[in-house]
Structure formats: structure tokens, C-alpha cells
């Protein structure tokens, strides 16, 4: 079991219980333990996601020498045009044979498998800028439209950096995003549809990445604690990323078109140490806290995991998979600093079947001209509107 599964209450400060009854003021959620036979893995008809470790059941595509040369040619070709990075698309970044394979992978990502890990890119020598181009170009073939993840806060950035920043970086930022710290990230969903992560460099130790499928999580919670499953289907209240409104409402779990979708942004639901859940929101109930705690535990049990290698690119369906990460230790003296590039993209493969709750959000994130996109090449922190 992942070590972050021991974190209870989603980092809710003790005073979050101040409006609950005296009998419910324990700062630690006492979750009912699900019997072992209920937690035992049950395969679906395709045998997907058995909760194995170290990515042994991950959907991995290792690029051959021929495909790598094709990728290198596309990178150098785009670089030679001197076009802005926001002009990268399937046309300006042609991949004559690899494109068809990437479209197959896109179908896989949008389907039950939910992810693909692309390996081998680091075997070709690329500069930092060329790696950004490669990541953006490959992602454009998986999902063609990039998100401005922080647009509701006025930020047009599409390229973000998942890396630990020093306190000096936060001198002028009141919000300290968990993605920009070295501690563990609990299981959550981001705002966008298809998330694409590219490993620039690795930490000295730690940083294992976890992916559980939402259907697996839901089945185990539903079978073990139907009362908490019902709580996850109810409407919740959280802080909006938009400057025009304070509050948003919706369920954590959405059952739609025979699929299970998750809508669980940790920073908006429970807050963080540097940005606690606002007092204008109703306090989370004991039942809600217990449901969140169980969600973490079960997600850990059904996860596949990865130790990223330099040059790895992972793309996954954010609505169909949660994700988490262990804490890590960097060592800048030896060049071991965990640094991932992050893009959020979408494609039209399942645009028509997504729940209504997501439609308005996706329009706000993706409805813009490519020329308006901002690519931040520096390791700047996430703003709250883009946080998760």
C-alpha cells in the first residue's frame, strides 16, 4: 500500500470540525475497515488494473530507433521554422508513421485502459527547449487542443511545471501549490481532460507515481460502504477557481453513460496548509470526511505505480483515473531534481458523452485561439486557479 494512504482527513485542520457536534470533534476520521474479501481484487472482463506495483500492468509504448528518428526530425523541423510554441499541432509537427500509433494510443486513453506511458525519448539527445517541443508535439497527436488551466484566474499558461520550489520562489505568492512541493500528493483529479506529463529530470529518491482507475475505486467503495458511496454521489460544495464566483457544487463521483467519472480536486475541497478551506463554505461533515478518507485508502489499493525515468511521457484520462505521488528528495548538487512538464489537453473522441458537469468547465479551459496560449519555460509555481 502506498505510504500516502496513511494520511487521513485529506489534511483537514482540526478547527474544520468547529461547527460539528461534540461527539464528532475527533481530528482523525475513524474509518470503518472494509473486510479483506471485499478489498480483494476482482477483475473486469478485460482483466484491467489488478492493483499491481511498479507498472508491470501499465500500458507502455517504447519507441523504436526508427520512431525516435522520426520524432527527432519533427522536433528539428519545427525548431527551424522559428514559430511560437503555441503553433505546435499535428500539421506543424508531422509524424508520418508514428502519428497513426499515437492515434491508437489516444483511443486507448479515452477507453477503459485510460493511460499510456511512452518510453525511450531520452535516448535521443535533445536540449531543454527541444524536449518541450517533443512533449507538446507528441501530446498534440494524442489530444489536439491544449487547456489554459488557470484561465478562470486570468492565467493563459498551458505549460506548467511539477517540481519542488524553494521558499524564495514563494516570496510573492500567497498560494503554495502542493505540486510545487516535495511532500506527498494525495489522490485527486485535476481540472482538464487528458493530462500529459514529461519527465525532464528525476529526484534523488522517492516520487513514485500512482494511477488508480475510477471504476475500480467505485466498485470497492460501493461494495464495502454503500453509505459512503452514496455520500460521494451527493452534491458537495467547494471553492471555485473563478474570480467571478466563490462557490461551486457537484458530486465527487458521477455515473454517466456506463462510466464512472471522478471530480475530486483536493485543494478546492479540503484546502491546503497555505490556503485552508474558506470559512464562507459550509464545513465538511463527518460523513464527507470519512468518505474522502476511504477514497484515499481504496485508491491506493487498486493503483498501478510508476517510477518515472528521464524522458518518460505519461498521458492519462483525468476523468477516468485519479493520481497521487509519494514524497521525494532532491539533490541539486548531483542534478537530481524532480521536474515534470505538464500539459492538459482534450480530443473529440468522447466529447459528446462527458457528463454535463464537465461541459462548461471544458469550454472555459479549451475555448480559445492557439495564438493566445502562453508557454512558460521557467519553473514558476502553479497559481490557485490551475491548482488541483
Amino acid at each position: 500500500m502506498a505510504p500516502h494512504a496513511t494520511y487521513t482527513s485529506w489534511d483537514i485542520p482540526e478547527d474544520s470540525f468547529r461547527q460539528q457536534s461534540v461527539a464528532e470533534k475527533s481530528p482523525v476520521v475513524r474509518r470503518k475497515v472494509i473486510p479483506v474479501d471485499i478489498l480483494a481484487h476482482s477483475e473486469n472482463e478485460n482483466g484491467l488494473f489488478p492493483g499491481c506495483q511498479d507498472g508491470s500492468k501499465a500500458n507502455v509504448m517504447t519507441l523504436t530507433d526508427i520512431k525516435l528518428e522520426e520524432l527527432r526530425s519533427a522536433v528539428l523541423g519545427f525548431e527551424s521554422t522559428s514559430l511560437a510554441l503555441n503553433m505546435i499541432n499535428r500539421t506543424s509537427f508531422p509524424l508520418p508513421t508514428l502519428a497513426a500509433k499515437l492515434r491508437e494510443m489516444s483511443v486507448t486513453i479515452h477507453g477503459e485502459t485510460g493511460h499510456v506511458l511512452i518510453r525511450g525519448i531520452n535516448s535521443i539527445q535533445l536540449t531543454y527547449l527541444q524536449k518541450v517541443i517533443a512533449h507538446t508535439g507528441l501530446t498534440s497527436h494524442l489530444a489536439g487542443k491544449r487547456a489554459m488551466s488557470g484561465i478562470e484566474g486570468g492565467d493563459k499558461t498551458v505549460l506548467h511545471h511539477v517540481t519542488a520550489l524553494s521558499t524564495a520562489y514563494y516570496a510573492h505568492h500567497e498560494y503554495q501549490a502542493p505540486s510545487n512541493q516535495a511532500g506527498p500528493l494525495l489522490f485527486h483529479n485535476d481540472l482538464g481532460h487528458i493530462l500529459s506529463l514529461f519527465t525532464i529530470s528525476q529526484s534523488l529518491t522517492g516520487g513514485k507515481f500512482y494511477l488508480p482507475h475510477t471504476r475500480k475505486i467505485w466498485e470497492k467503495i460501493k461494495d464495502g460502504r454503500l453509505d459512503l458511496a452514496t455520500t460521494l454521489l451527493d452534491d458537495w460544495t467547494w471553492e471555485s477557481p473563478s474570480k467571478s464566483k466563490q462557490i461551486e457544487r457537484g458530486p465527487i463521483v458521477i455515473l454517466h453513460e456506463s462510466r464512472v467519472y471522478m471530480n475530486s480536486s483536493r485543494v478546492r475541497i479540503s484546502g491546503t496548509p497555505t490556503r485552508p478551506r474558506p470559512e464562507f463554505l459550509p464545513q465538511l461533515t463527518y460523513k464527507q470526511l470519512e468518505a474522502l478518507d476511504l477514497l484515499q485508502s481504496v485508491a491506493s489499493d487498486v493503483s498501478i505505480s510508476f517510477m518515472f525515468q528521464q524522458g518518460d511521457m505519461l498521458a492519462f484520462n483525468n476523468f477516468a483515473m485519479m493520481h497521487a505521488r509519494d514524497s521525494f528528495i532532491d539533490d541539486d548538487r548531483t542534478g537530481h531534481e524532480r521536474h515534470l512538464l505538464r500539459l492538459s489537453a482534450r480530443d473529440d473522441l468522447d466529447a459528446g458523452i462527458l457528463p454535463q458537469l464537465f461541459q462548461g468547465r471544458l469550454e472555459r479551459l479549451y475555448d480559445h485561439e492557439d495564438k493566445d496560449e502562453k508557454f512558460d519555460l521557467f519553473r514558476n509555481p502553479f497559481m490557485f486557479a490551475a491548482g488541483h
Side-chain angles (χ1 to χ4, degrees), residues 117-372:
L117 178 66
I118 300 175
R119 286 204 147 139
I121 299 172
N122 203 54
S123 63
I124 54 176
Q125 297 299 312
L126 299 175
T127 66
Y128 171 65
L129 177 60
Q130 289 169 345
K131 290 176 182 177
V132 172
I133 294 172
H135 177 216
T136 307
L138 288 169
T139 301
S140 72
H141 284 272
L142 292 172
K145 185 64 180 177
R146 293 178 290 269
M148 294 178 177
S149 297
I151 189 60
E152 294 189 273
D155 182 13
K156 296 183 178 181
T157 301
V158 295
L159 180 69
H160 292 89
H161 300 266
V162 183
T163 189
L165 301 177
S166 67
T167 53
Y169 275 87
Y170 285 118
H172 305 290
H173 299 272
E174 66 174 58
Y175 173 64
Q176 299 181 19
S179 297
N180 294 136
Q181 300 179 56
L185 283 179
L186 301 185
F187 287 97
H188 64 281
N189 304 98
D190 288 10
L191 292 177
H193 189 181
I194 305 301
L195 295 188
S196 177
L197 301 172
F198 184 92
T199 306
I200 295 292
S201 54
Q202 301 163 273
S203 58
L204 181 64
T205 62
K208 182 177 285 187
F209 191 86
Y210 298 87
L211 274 182
H213 202 287
T214 55
R215 182 177 298 279
K216 286 292 180 185
I217 299 171
W218 172 248
E219 287 175 352
K220 290 186 181 298
I221 292 179
K222 174 175 62 69
D223 292 343
R225 286 294 302 272
L226 185 58
D227 58 326
L228 297 185
T230 302
T231 298
L232 292 169
L233 291 171
D234 291 339
D235 271 357
W236 294 52
T237 304
W238 57 82
E239 185 175 7
S240 171
S242 174
K243 291 182 177 181
S244 62
K245 58 181 179 179
Q246 289 185 315
I247 296 175
E248 289 186 357
R249 293 181 176 85
I252 301 297
V253 174
I254 303 164
L255 306 179
H256 180 74
E257 299 286 346
S258 301
R259 296 192 181 187
V260 180
Y261 295 89
M262 290 280 184
N263 179 42
S264 183
S265 169
R266 173 180 169 239
V267 300
R268 305 198 202 296
I269 295 171
S270 61
T272 69
T274 60
R275 185 160 179 150
R277 182 175 167 93
E279 293 190 359
F280 60 75
L281 294 176
Q283 295 299 305
L284 294 172
T285 66
Y286 183 84
K287 204 72 161 180
Q288 288 175 321
L289 291 170
E290 191 177 13
L292 292 175
D293 195 38
L294 183 59
L295 186 66
Q296 292 294 310
S297 177
V298 173
S300 177
D301 288 336
V302 301
S303 290
I304 56 174
S305 64
F306 308 86
M307 282 300 293
F308 288 135
Q309 302 173 12
Q310 199 166 343
D312 277 358
M313 176 176 150
L314 174 69
F316 63 93
N317 189 338
N318 175 62
F319 294 147
M321 306 195 83
M322 300 186 80
H323 58 286
R325 182 204 69 207
D326 284 340
S327 61
F328 60 90
I329 297 174
D330 284 341
D331 184 356
D332 56 2
R333 296 170 300 177
T334 60
H336 289 94
E337 295 182 286
R338 191 177 192 273
H339 180 195
L340 307 182
L341 303 177
R342 173 188 174 273
L343 290 167
S344 175
R346 78 168 303 189
D347 205 83
D348 294 329
L349 283 176
D350 61 359
I353 65 171
L354 290 174
Q356 185 61 38
L357 177 67
F358 294 147
Q359 297 293 349
R361 177 196 300 172
L362 294 180
E363 287 177 7
R364 295 190 294 272
L365 295 180
Y366 295 99
D367 188 13
H368 60 263
E369 297 291 331
D370 292 349
K371 63 181 177 61
D372 295 329

Side-chain angles (χ1 to χ4, degrees), residues 41-52 57-59 108 111-115 213 215-216 219 302 304 321:
H41 171 68
S42 57
E43 297 275 339
N44 64 20
E45 61 181 4
N46 296 315
L48 299 172
F49 295 100
C52 62
K57 288 290 186 180
N59 186 34
T108 297
E112 278 294 306
T113 304
H115 77 283
H213 202 287
R215 182 177 298 279
K216 286 292 180 185
E219 287 175 352
V302 301
I304 56 174
M321 306 195 83

Side-chain angles (χ1 to χ4, degrees), residues 57-103:
K57 288 290 186 180
N59 186 34
V60 181
M61 179 175 74
T62 301
L63 297 183
T64 64
D65 290 343
I66 294 174
K67 295 292 191 291
L68 288 169
E69 180 56 32
E70 186 175 308
L71 174 62
R72 189 182 73 86
S73 296
V75 170
L76 296 178
F78 181 84
E79 190 176 35
S80 69
T81 67
S82 298
L83 289 172
L85 294 174
N86 55 25
M87 291 293 103
I88 296 177
N89 54 47
R90 295 170 191 169
T91 301
S92 64
F93 195 85
L95 296 168
T97 63
L98 183 54
K101 184 62 176 177
L102 291 171
R103 293 310 295 162

